[in-house]
Amino acid sequence: MAGKITKVLVANRGEIALRVMRALRELEIPSVAVYSEADREAAHVLFANEAVCIGPAPSTESYLRIDKILDAVRKTGADAVHPGYGFLSENSAFARALRDAGIGFIGPGPEAMEMMGNKLTARAAMIAAGVRVIPGSDGALGDPQEALRLSREIGFPVMLKAAAGGGGKGMRVVRDESEMASALEATQAEAAKAFADSAVFVEKYIEKPRHIEIQVLADRQGNAVYLGERECSIQRRHQKVVEESPSPIVDEAMRREMGEMAVMVAKACDYESAGTVEFMVDAHRDFYFLEMNTRLQVEHPVTELTYNVDLVKLQIAVAGGEALPFRQDELVPHGWAMEFRIYAEDPATDFLPSTGKILRLREPGGPGIRHDSGIYEKYDVPIFYDPLLSKLVVYGQTRVEVIQRARRAFTEFVIAGIRTNIPFHQWLLRQPAFEKGDFDTHFIDTHFRPEYLKQDEALPFVALAAATLAYHQHGRRMNFAGLQAFSRRPSKWKLAARKEAVTRRQS
Amino acid sequence: MAGKITKVLVANRGEIALRVMRALRELEIPSVAVYSEADREAAHVLFANEAVCIGPAPSTESYLRIDKILDAVRKTGADAVHPGYGFLSENSAFARALRDAGIGFIGPGPEAMEMMGNKLTARAAMIAAGVRVIPGSDGALGDPQEALRLSREIGFPVMLKAAAGGGGKGMRVVRDESEMASALEATQAEAAKAFADSAVFVEKYIEKPRHIEIQVLADRQGNAVYLGERECSIQRRHQKVVEESPSPIVDEAMRREMGEMAVMVAKACDYESAGTVEFMVDAHRDFYFLEMNTRLQVEHPVTELTYNVDLVKLQIAVAGGEALPFRQDELVPHGWAMEFRIYAEDPATDFLPSTGKILRLREPGGPGIRHDSGIYEKYDVPIFYDPLLSKLVVYGQTRVEVIQRARRAFTEFVIAGIRTNIPFHQWLLRQPAFEKGDFDTHFIDTHFRPEYLKQDEALPFVALAAATLAYHQHGRRMNFAGLQAFSRRPSKWKLAARKEAVTRRQS
Amino acid sequence: MSAHRYVVTLNGEKKEVSLSPDGERWAISVDGVTHTLEQTVIERDEIYSLIIGGQSYMVDLVEKNWDSGHFTVSALASSVDVTVRDELEAIAEELTGGSNKEGLFELKAPMPGIVVKSLVKAGDLVTQGQGLVILEAMKMQNELASEMEGIVQEIFVSDGQMVETGAPLARIIMEDA
Amino acid sequence: MSAHRYVVTLNGEKKEVSLSPDGERWAISVDGVTHTLEQTVIERDEIYSLIIGGQSYMVDLVEKNWDSGHFTVSALASSVDVTVRDELEAIAEELTGGSNKEGLFELKAPMPGIVVKSLVKAGDLVTQGQGLVILEAMKMQNELASEMEGIVQEIFVSDGQMVETGAPLARIIMEDA
């Protein structure tokens, strides 16, 4: 597809669909929502100019169905698709199908997706391009001697990992040479038992790992720039919860070094559009390429605030064939931004998901507050999808101001009817280690316990008083109403009903 | 008062009281609201930590009563007062009474207020300090000869003004020498008749006047800086409606020149805290001192966005004795910001005020939106005060982006139950002259007509369909309910009521 | 497949509307032209989502009076007043002349406020556009004018009185009435 | 100045509350300690403003059941469940033992979801903390465990079934019950 984009189908739901549609509306490009049967009332359907139902609730029967989305594109005459994140956003078959149909895809080409989609080929390609990756063996280890030799090269401590493993299983830290033989034997045995595959490889063990990523933007003309870093180490079960930009540990020199490496990654895969290069950073601030996310990230707003750009509108411009409107040296960050993901899950009960109707919604306002939301008052949160409700993004001059402002914002924020992780954020914002920026990806697991959650000490009395008054006054009213019941003037509707009742009784 | 501020009473209401309390909460300083009997449910009362009633609805009996506010200060133990804007904010007697009572005033000293409070003394002092004012006679004109001589000095066209006049009455433009004699006679006669005082003076006539003001900040240590300009020419009856920063006609050189003059004004009156120096700018971009507002302005947020500062927190710091945290050369503006004042008045009926209950409130969100509000859903807007409900402040990279974003935001904004000027803003944002930045203070008067207001062409059918469905479905339900009425299981409350009814009948 | 007939007034125009269920949708005919629409009730009598010809609309029923059929409907960043009547009721009202009274103008308060001053008194002759009452609301004084020429029959308020929206302020009758 | 007496349960504690009108305010005594409070109703049964000892609170009554007296109250950036009973009702319930059943654990769905799999069947012996049912909600699988040791009396759901919050999933009884 080439030339001006005139109508865009957003192949997603929730807050990111709204985020994209807001950019489209600013550009006066009509937006098309697609929705599953469970999403008829979803915020993105209400916001869009047009809306098409694409199937039953499970995403495998709707949001993940390439054929149905192509049908909706044809039906509405959209000439481009924005995939958001998740769902089909990194599916190269989808990008290819659109290209074949002559429809624009607001994102990178399928080739870049494929290259970055497989961790092993991505790693190999990046090594070839001169990008620093976590040092390790590229294949399975044979005996303890080979393991020792490689580990000496890498430097202790190292991590033994089952090749077929994942999710933290089949991993063992080896701190010095003496531990190697027994550790290798144990890991191989464990791997054989758990995954029916005893292959084990060795990798540098990253102590106090931080997850820091670089936003890149590239156009069809071959320009590529970086827009600083995002610190994403506050995670729970590999799910990011709070992100910020800049990172408390990245200075200008490190930003330039990481940024230039990220641009190298983007160029190595002929990247177009917005993308993110993820790095693992160790306690010495050494960083290693982890993977590239070939899409817009959930946490893109913190970059938008510090660089005063609109990444979605830039994606749309690039997809329309325009060149990037700035050079690297024009991109200077200002201030500090933090994003708090609002999940429908209860931190008091091990983050159990919570769904239901949002009975009351009161959003924070005033200076430095951005709310990217996918909900509204009276919305019934369905059970079928990701629990991300919205993102509260806070901006200020310094990190201290952002923390103070976020605390203030959470005193204003009311989401009632379902449980959310807001109490978790309130806890986090009072942790001295978090305030100092001293944390790694293990922070939540090591520091958080549900019993640490606190409510204002005045709450019990205030709630008791309010409930007692409500109950008392309701009772009074009901008694009064009962006394009045027979003396009321019948309304037109009641008369009609009475007439109908009489008629039926007669027939 | 000196030293740390530990509790602040906000002597104001509406959106500005909330704005100040948000800053206080970020600093973890408890806030005290004062309220009139008509404001018991006002947003600032709900937001504050403490609340004190200070009298009946009319502001002369509550918000303007220095004695009652001092009582509230004593009762709550507040050690400082923030006056907001309007009410007592520029009342030097109030500032003096607080000083005498040893209570901090978050604003300038009474001396600066007094010097700037009287237009004539302010003008004289500024001339003495070397500040450029609108050229004119400093006293009443005698005969046409004197008028001619002075007008030649000033340069035609000039304006004849009744000394006792105001609000646009007793003014006459004189374009060349031949018109002078008759114009002077007519103006003097008119002045004598209207104000019982025939004194008339002459002043340079500013063609296509723009109202542009400079934000200044000064501390007790003698530092004073400027934070760029605000363009405030979109006015109706001398009431600002839309403000922006930067101004479309101010470049870096002009900003520096105006800024340095504003700092000169602030230093000439030994200013402390945030203040605003207003200028009149003519079609040649020459600017003249008009007056200084010795308080926080309604439109301060556009400066906060372009300079990434929190003016209220800076006021609090300065009032606590701290020095300004930046030097002039560290203050560089970024991006563009525009503020849209949301008034409870109906642009379709000559901006007639509108009050009543806000039945639905849905605020815009997403990138670049700040909402400084004094309302909430279910709030009943009282009739006694200023019709300003809230301020929608929009930020972006360029002026074009801000206009596009504001249009988008107004498609999301729902305030139902009362009339607001939102339709006016929607009209304004589509005016080519406004888009080009080509306007002056006469813009609304010359360009706006209620019949230009437009609604979406799909609205009539959508509204018709929705209302018909509602009416139809309600009717069906009522008929059904009527049929069911006698078969319902009685609730506990109804039983209790019935029992009480029986009891009463027996007694 | 019964069609329900209504008469709907909007922006001063009367439309004949018929509404029939059509599976999970509705067929709605306005002055003979039929549209298919899909309605989802988000909050009963409060918030709807309508999809009409593929276009999506969020609609708020802001005010409603079930007896009179008056609604204020908010959608598309704006709002409009609509009146819905059953067809039979509408015909009956037309036959009895409804509550329209000609040769009479009743000034009502367009907003809550305080009566600052009555500018005329009973028996005065007034012209169209002449100010009758000054009402103050939110620090602004508003002069409310007569919509017709005639004689002041009655002033219903006294100076300094607080009034609610819709309160009758004055009645003007035709000179020869 | 009649005082109305209630028994209020909050955070597992029962409090004796008495409420009496005191001019435009209320006197509220909790376990014998009296506070004066001022209430303004912003929206009936929905939103209150309370001023207690000069402190200001905005309160939302999010959920309410007038018959059972169960409320969810939101205030101070948090929320809490409260149950209010008339004093006489509370005494009556205490005497009849309420609905407490000992030696029995009924697993209920803590959220709406899809039953992925039952991990036990009727007649199985289970220990405290042993998983009974896997429930999937919002793409996450949650293992729901028994709160007591005992015998599975019944599994109420089948694999793949959708359930609402509070739906009974399984019942465990004491071994010697």
Side-chain angles (χ1 to χ4, degrees):
Chain A
M1 181 259 141
K4 211 168 155 46
I5 292 171
T6 62
K7 189 189 274 190
V8 173
L9 183 144
V10 181
N12 216 304
R13 65 179 303 283
E15 68 84 21
I16 193 61
L18 253 93
R19 167 68 190 92
V20 172
M21 288 177 192
R22 283 185 164 129
L24 292 167
R25 186 156 297 170
E26 290 178 20
L27 299 170
E28 307 201 342
I29 299 171
S31 56
V32 180
V34 291
Y35 63 96
S36 76
E37 285 160 13
D39 266 348
R40 174 63 184 81
E41 299 180 16
H44 73 289
V45 177
L46 304 184
F47 191 97
N49 295 87
E50 300 179 38
V52 182
C53 183
I54 51 165
S59 46
T60 47
E61 296 174 44
S62 49
Y63 297 106
L64 290 170
R65 284 283 295 267
I66 295 176
D67 55 339
K68 292 193 177 174
I69 289 171
L70 281 173
D71 282 349
V73 166
R74 278 184 215 106
K75 189 176 163 189
T76 56
D79 47 18
V81 170
H82 195 297
Y85 52 70
F87 292 137
L88 296 172
S89 62
E90 295 181 283
N91 183 315
S92 62
F94 182 51
R96 224 176 272 282
L98 288 171
R99 183 193 279 173
D100 292 346
I103 305 297
F105 180 78
I106 300 172
E111 297 78 9
M113 283 184 196
E114 280 158 6
M115 184 166 170
M116 290 300 171
N118 180 312
K119 286 203 185 196
L120 289 178
T121 62
R123 182 181 158 97
M126 289 309 109
I127 292 170
V131 172
R132 183 165 56 216
V133 300
I134 299 180
S137 61
D138 286 318
L141 298 170
D143 54 37
Q145 259 51 49
E146 194 192 348
L148 264 183
R149 183 179 53 76
L150 274 164
S151 300
R152 280 190 204 116
E153 267 180 48
I154 294 167
F156 280 93
V158 296
M159 172 86 94
L160 296 178
K161 278 186 175 177
K169 281 184 182 171
M171 282 164 41
R172 187 166 266 104
V173 179
V174 185
R175 304 217 160 253
D176 60 49
E177 300 198 5
S178 66
E179 293 175 4
M180 182 54 83
S182 64
L184 183 62
E185 195 179 336
T187 311
Q188 283 171 332
E190 206 176 282
K193 195 179 163 201
F195 313 111
D197 176 0
S198 69
V200 163
F201 66 100
V202 65
E203 196 177 85
K204 185 171 176 61
Y205 175 66
I206 306 290
E207 289 190 272
K208 298 201 168 192
R210 294 177 88 116
H211 175 120
I212 300 179
E213 61 189 27
I214 299 283
Q215 176 70 52
V216 295
L217 262 177
D219 63 23
R220 213 166 282 168
Q221 287 75 8
N223 305 302
V225 295
Y226 61 88
L227 292 96
E229 77 281 7
R230 290 186 289 257
E231 164 74 69
C232 310
S233 301
I234 303 293
Q235 305 183 344
R236 203 183 67 84
R237 296 192 189 167
H238 303 282
Q239 187 190 53
K240 297 166 190 168
V241 183
V242 175
E243 303 96 339
E244 61 187 296
S245 179
S247 160
I249 63 155
V250 174
D251 57 19
E252 231 178 284
M254 185 172 171
R255 179 171 308 122
R256 188 176 323 112
E257 226 187 308
M258 291 181 83
E260 283 168 3
M261 194 174 284
V263 166
M264 196 194 285
V265 171
K267 293 204 164 176
C269 65
D270 245 332
Y271 202 77
E272 174 187 319
S273 195
T276 295
V277 180
E278 295 195 336
F279 293 96
M280 186 81 104
V281 181
D282 68 17
H284 314 289
R285 295 169 70 235
D286 287 330
F287 54 90
Y288 306 95
F289 170 81
L290 215 57
E291 62 175 321
M292 179 167 191
N293 294 320
T294 57
R295 52 165 163 83
L296 192 70
Q297 300 276 89
V298 177
E299 58 270 23
H300 74 277
V302 295
T303 300
E304 294 188 322
L305 285 163
T306 48
Y307 283 84
N308 192 16
V309 294
D310 186 317
L311 288 170
V312 178
K313 288 199 277 195
L314 287 162
Q315 283 189 304
I316 295 167
V318 164
E322 290 177 45
L324 290 176
F326 35 60
R327 296 189 319 270
Q328 187 63 56
D329 58 10
E330 294 170 295
L331 292 167
V332 181
H334 296 285
W336 208 284
M338 230 177 246
E339 173 181 283
F340 301 85
R341 299 192 186 192
I342 311 300
Y343 286 114
E345 50 185 37
D346 184 3
T349 59
D350 199 25
F351 296 91
L352 214 60
S354 169
T355 61
K357 193 152 188 154
I358 294 172
L359 300 173
R360 192 93 80 234
L361 176 64
R362 222 171 277 131
E363 300 168 80
I369 302 300
R370 166 174 168 179
H371 193 211
D372 274 28
S373 167
I375 60 171
Y376 58 91
E377 193 172 283
K378 308 301 183 194
Y379 175 55
D380 205 336
V381 180
I383 63 167
F384 298 97
Y385 312 105
D386 190 274
L388 184 64
L389 299 175
S390 77
K391 301 172 324 199
L392 183 71
V393 198
V394 181
Y395 183 61
Q397 208 174 19
T398 61
R399 192 165 188 273
V400 170
E401 181 172 61
V402 169
I403 289 175
Q404 291 175 337
R405 193 160 271 172
R407 288 178 187 152
R408 184 268 292 172
F410 281 117
T411 70
E412 300 179 20
F413 209 162
V414 176
I415 302 180
I418 61 171
R419 302 270 166 186
T420 73
N421 66 338
I422 288 178
F424 168 81
H425 291 305
Q426 291 171 312
W427 168 84
L428 179 72
L429 286 162
R430 294 284 174 194
Q431 298 313 302
F434 179 74
E435 285 185 69
K436 278 184 282 183
D438 175 20
F439 51 77
D440 58 41
T441 56
H442 307 308
F443 184 83
I444 297 180
D445 285 343
T446 38
H447 288 80
F448 177 71
R449 298 286 173 275
E451 56 268 30
Y452 299 161
L453 295 171
K454 268 203 303 206
Q455 292 184 321
D456 192 292
E457 56 183 25
L459 179 62
F461 182 71
V462 170
L464 174 150
T468 307
L469 281 168
Y471 190 78
H472 175 77
Q473 288 160 348
H474 183 84
R476 296 274 104 182
R477 268 203 315 277
M478 287 299 107
N479 287 345
F480 184 74
L483 293 171
Q484 300 275 312
F486 293 95
S487 65
R488 263 200 223 118
R489 189 180 70 87
S491 83
K492 189 188 75 176
W493 292 109
K494 283 204 187 127
L495 286 175
R498 204 169 293 172
K499 204 172 118 194
E500 189 157 332
V502 170
T503 313
R504 292 212 188 171
R505 228 172 287 155
Q506 288 170 337
S507 66
Chain B
M1 179 258 144
K4 210 166 155 49
I5 292 170
T6 62
K7 189 189 274 190
V8 173
L9 182 143
V10 181
N12 217 304
R13 64 179 302 284
E15 69 85 19
I16 193 62
L18 254 92
R19 167 68 190 92
V20 172
M21 289 176 191
R22 282 185 164 128
L24 291 168
R25 187 157 297 170
E26 290 177 21
L27 298 171
E28 307 201 341
I29 299 172
S31 56
V32 180
V34 291
Y35 63 96
S36 76
E37 285 160 14
D39 266 347
R40 175 63 184 80
E41 301 180 15
H44 73 288
V45 177
L46 305 183
F47 191 98
N49 295 89
E50 301 178 40
V52 182
C53 183
I54 51 165
S59 46
T60 47
E61 297 174 44
S62 49
Y63 297 106
L64 290 170
R65 285 282 296 268
I66 295 176
D67 55 340
K68 292 193 177 174
I69 290 172
L70 281 174
D71 282 349
V73 166
R74 278 185 214 106
K75 188 176 162 188
T76 57
D79 48 18
V81 170
H82 194 298
Y85 52 68
F87 293 137
L88 297 171
S89 62
E90 295 181 282
N91 183 316
S92 62
F94 182 50
R96 223 176 271 283
L98 289 171
R99 184 193 279 174
D100 292 346
I103 304 297
F105 180 77
I106 301 173
E111 296 79 10
M113 281 185 198
E114 280 158 8
M115 184 166 170
M116 290 300 171
N118 180 310
K119 285 202 184 196
L120 289 177
T121 62
R123 182 180 158 97
M126 289 309 110
I127 291 171
V131 172
R132 184 164 58 216
V133 300
I134 299 180
S137 60
D138 285 318
L141 297 171
D143 54 37
Q145 260 52 48
E146 193 193 349
L148 266 182
R149 185 181 50 77
L150 275 164
S151 301
R152 281 191 204 113
E153 265 179 49
I154 295 166
F156 281 92
V158 297
M159 172 87 94
L160 296 178
K161 278 187 174 176
K169 281 184 182 172
M171 279 163 44
R172 187 167 266 106
V173 179
V174 185
R175 302 216 161 254
D176 60 49
E177 300 196 2
S178 67
E179 293 176 4
M180 181 55 83
S182 64
L184 183 61
E185 195 180 334
T187 312
Q188 282 170 331
E190 205 176 284
K193 196 180 162 198
F195 313 112
D197 175 1
S198 68
V200 163
F201 67 99
V202 64
E203 197 178 82
K204 186 172 174 62
Y205 175 65
I206 306 290
E207 289 190 273
K208 299 201 166 192
R210 295 178 87 117
H211 176 122
I212 300 179
E213 61 189 26
I214 299 284
Q215 176 70 52
V216 295
L217 261 178
D219 62 23
R220 213 166 282 169
Q221 288 74 7
N223 306 303
V225 295
Y226 60 89
L227 293 95
E229 77 283 5
R230 290 186 290 256
E231 164 74 69
C232 309
S233 302
I234 302 294
Q235 306 184 344
R236 203 183 67 84
R237 296 191 189 168
H238 304 283
Q239 188 189 52
K240 297 167 188 166
V241 183
V242 175
E243 303 96 340
E244 59 186 297
S245 179
S247 159
I249 63 155
V250 175
D251 57 18
E252 231 178 285
M254 185 172 171
R255 180 170 307 122
R256 189 177 322 113
E257 227 187 306
M258 291 181 85
E260 284 169 2
M261 194 175 285
V263 166
M264 196 194 285
V265 170
K267 293 205 163 175
C269 65
D270 246 332
Y271 203 78
E272 174 187 320
S273 193
T276 295
V277 180
E278 295 195 337
F279 293 96
M280 187 80 104
V281 181
D282 68 17
H284 313 289
R285 295 168 71 234
D286 287 330
F287 54 90
Y288 306 95
F289 170 80
L290 215 57
E291 61 174 321
M292 179 168 191
N293 294 320
T294 56
R295 54 165 162 83
L296 193 70
Q297 300 276 89
V298 177
E299 58 271 22
H300 74 276
V302 295
T303 300
E304 293 189 321
L305 284 163
T306 48
Y307 283 84
N308 192 16
V309 293
D310 186 318
L311 289 170
V312 178
K313 288 199 278 194
L314 287 163
Q315 283 189 304
I316 295 167
V318 164
E322 290 178 45
L324 290 176
F326 34 61
R327 294 189 320 269
Q328 186 64 56
D329 58 9
E330 293 170 295
L331 291 166
V332 182
H334 296 285
W336 208 284
M338 228 176 247
E339 172 180 283
F340 301 86
R341 299 192 186 191
I342 311 300
Y343 286 114
E345 50 185 36
D346 183 3
T349 58
D350 200 26
F351 295 91
L352 214 60
S354 168
T355 61
K357 193 153 188 155
I358 293 172
L359 299 172
R360 194 92 81 235
L361 176 64
R362 222 171 276 130
E363 300 168 81
I369 302 299
R370 166 174 169 180
H371 193 211
D372 273 29
S373 168
I375 58 172
Y376 58 91
E377 194 171 283
K378 308 301 183 195
Y379 174 56
D380 204 337
V381 180
I383 63 166
F384 298 97
Y385 311 106
D386 190 273
L388 183 65
L389 299 175
S390 76
K391 302 172 323 199
L392 183 71
V393 199
V394 180
Y395 184 61
Q397 208 173 19
T398 61
R399 191 165 188 274
V400 170
E401 182 172 60
V402 169
I403 289 175
Q404 292 175 337
R405 193 160 270 174
R407 287 178 188 152
R408 184 269 291 172
F410 281 117
T411 71
E412 299 179 21
F413 208 163
V414 176
I415 302 181
I418 60 172
R419 302 271 165 186
T420 73
N421 67 336
I422 288 177
F424 168 81
H425 291 306
Q426 290 170 314
W427 168 83
L428 178 73
L429 286 162
R430 293 286 174 192
Q431 298 314 301
F434 180 75
E435 285 185 67
K436 277 183 282 182
D438 176 19
F439 51 76
D440 58 42
T441 55
H442 308 308
F443 184 83
I444 296 181
D445 285 342
T446 39
H447 288 79
F448 177 70
R449 298 285 173 277
E451 55 269 29
Y452 298 162
L453 295 170
K454 268 203 302 204
Q455 291 184 321
D456 193 291
E457 56 183 24
L459 178 63
F461 182 71
V462 170
L464 175 150
T468 307
L469 282 167
Y471 190 79
H472 176 78
Q473 288 159 348
H474 183 84
R476 297 274 104 182
R477 267 202 316 275
M478 287 301 107
N479 288 345
F480 183 75
L483 292 172
Q484 301 273 313
F486 293 95
S487 65
R488 265 202 221 116
R489 190 180 69 87
S491 82
K492 189 187 76 175
W493 293 108
K494 283 205 187 124
L495 287 174
R498 204 169 293 172
K499 204 171 118 194
E500 191 158 333
V502 169
T503 314
R504 291 213 188 171
R505 227 173 288 154
Q506 288 169 338
S507 65
Chain C
M1 294 299 87
S2 58
H4 305 271
R5 299 183 172 283
Y6 296 97
V7 174
V8 181
T9 313
L10 183 145
N11 290 337
E13 278 181 70
K14 270 196 176 148
K15 310 256 184 199
E16 294 192 6
V17 177
S18 97
L19 190 67
S20 354
D22 175 11
E24 295 194 349
R25 300 171 180 228
W26 296 92
I28 182 165
S29 300
V30 181
D31 291 342
V33 183
T34 303
H35 307 255
T36 301
L37 81 84
E38 196 218 310
Q39 174 207 31
T40 293
V41 176
I42 290 167
E43 180 81 356
R44 198 165 83 180
D45 301 337
E46 293 286 336
I47 311 172
Y48 296 166
S49 166
L50 302 182
I51 295 182
I52 309 173
Q55 303 284 314
S56 174
Y57 305 99
M58 184 177 193
V59 182
D60 288 289
L61 300 171
V62 179
E63 296 183 55
K64 50 244 152 194
N65 182 319
W66 302 112
D67 280 336
S68 69
H70 290 300
F71 294 85
T72 301
V73 181
S74 164
L76 290 159
S78 196
S79 75
V80 68
D81 292 330
V82 186
T83 304
V84 186
R85 313 296 298 148
D86 288 329
E87 192 182 44
L88 291 175
E89 277 178 325
I91 291 170
E93 281 165 14
E94 199 127 309
L95 291 174
T96 60
S99 57
N100 267 345
K101 290 173 199 157
E102 297 217 347
L104 187 148
F105 167 66
E106 203 164 271
L107 177 68
K108 290 179 175 165
M111 66 214 148
I114 295 165
V115 175
V116 176
K117 196 177 162 47
S118 300
L119 301 170
V120 293
K121 58 183 195 304
D124 283 2
L125 223 81
V126 296
T127 57
Q128 197 191 332
Q130 184 175 338
L132 302 178
V133 170
I134 297 179
L135 191 69
E136 179 172 324
M138 300 206 288
K139 304 199 302 185
M140 302 244 311
Q141 298 200 347
N142 305 281
E143 192 177 295
L144 306 176
S146 177
E147 285 183 7
M148 64 175 244
E149 194 178 276
I151 293 169
V152 179
Q153 193 192 42
E154 196 174 349
I155 299 289
F156 302 108
V157 289
S158 47
D159 298 356
Q161 186 181 332
M162 268 192 59
V163 294
E164 294 298 315
T165 302
L169 304 177
R171 187 185 294 134
I172 309 301
I173 53 170
M174 263 171 66
E175 271 182 84
D176 50 3
Chain D
M1 297 311 87
S2 57
H4 305 272
R5 299 183 172 284
Y6 296 98
V7 174
V8 181
T9 313
L10 183 146
N11 291 337
E13 277 180 71
K14 269 197 178 148
K15 310 257 185 200
E16 293 191 9
V17 177
S18 96
L19 190 67
S20 355
D22 174 12
E24 294 194 350
R25 301 170 179 229
W26 295 94
I28 183 165
S29 299
V30 181
D31 290 343
V33 183
T34 303
H35 307 254
T36 301
L37 81 84
E38 196 217 311
Q39 173 207 33
T40 294
V41 176
I42 291 168
E43 180 82 356
R44 198 165 84 180
D45 299 338
E46 293 286 335
I47 312 173
Y48 297 165
S49 166
L50 302 182
I51 295 183
I52 309 173
Q55 303 283 314
S56 174
Y57 305 100
M58 185 178 193
V59 182
D60 288 289
L61 300 170
V62 180
E63 295 184 57
K64 51 245 152 194
N65 183 319
W66 302 112
D67 280 337
S68 68
H70 289 301
F71 295 85
T72 302
V73 180
S74 165
L76 290 159
S78 195
S79 74
V80 67
D81 293 330
V82 186
T83 304
V84 186
R85 312 297 297 148
D86 288 329
E87 192 181 45
L88 291 175
E89 278 178 327
I91 291 169
E93 280 165 16
E94 198 127 308
L95 290 175
T96 60
S99 58
N100 268 343
K101 291 173 197 156
E102 295 218 347
L104 186 148
F105 167 67
E106 203 164 270
L107 178 67
K108 290 180 175 166
M111 66 214 149
I114 296 166
V115 175
V116 177
K117 198 176 160 53
S118 300
L119 302 170
V120 293
K121 58 183 195 304
D124 282 3
L125 225 81
V126 296
T127 57
Q128 196 191 333
Q130 183 174 339
L132 302 178
V133 170
I134 296 179
L135 191 70
E136 178 172 326
M138 299 208 286
K139 305 200 303 186
M140 303 242 313
Q141 299 202 345
N142 304 281
E143 194 177 294
L144 306 176
S146 178
E147 287 184 6
M148 63 174 245
E149 195 178 277
I151 292 169
V152 180
Q153 192 192 43
E154 194 173 352
I155 299 288
F156 301 107
V157 289
S158 47
D159 298 356
Q161 186 180 332
M162 268 192 58
V163 293
E164 293 300 314
T165 303
L169 304 177
R171 187 185 294 133
I172 309 299
I173 52 172
M174 265 174 63
E175 272 184 83
D176 50 3

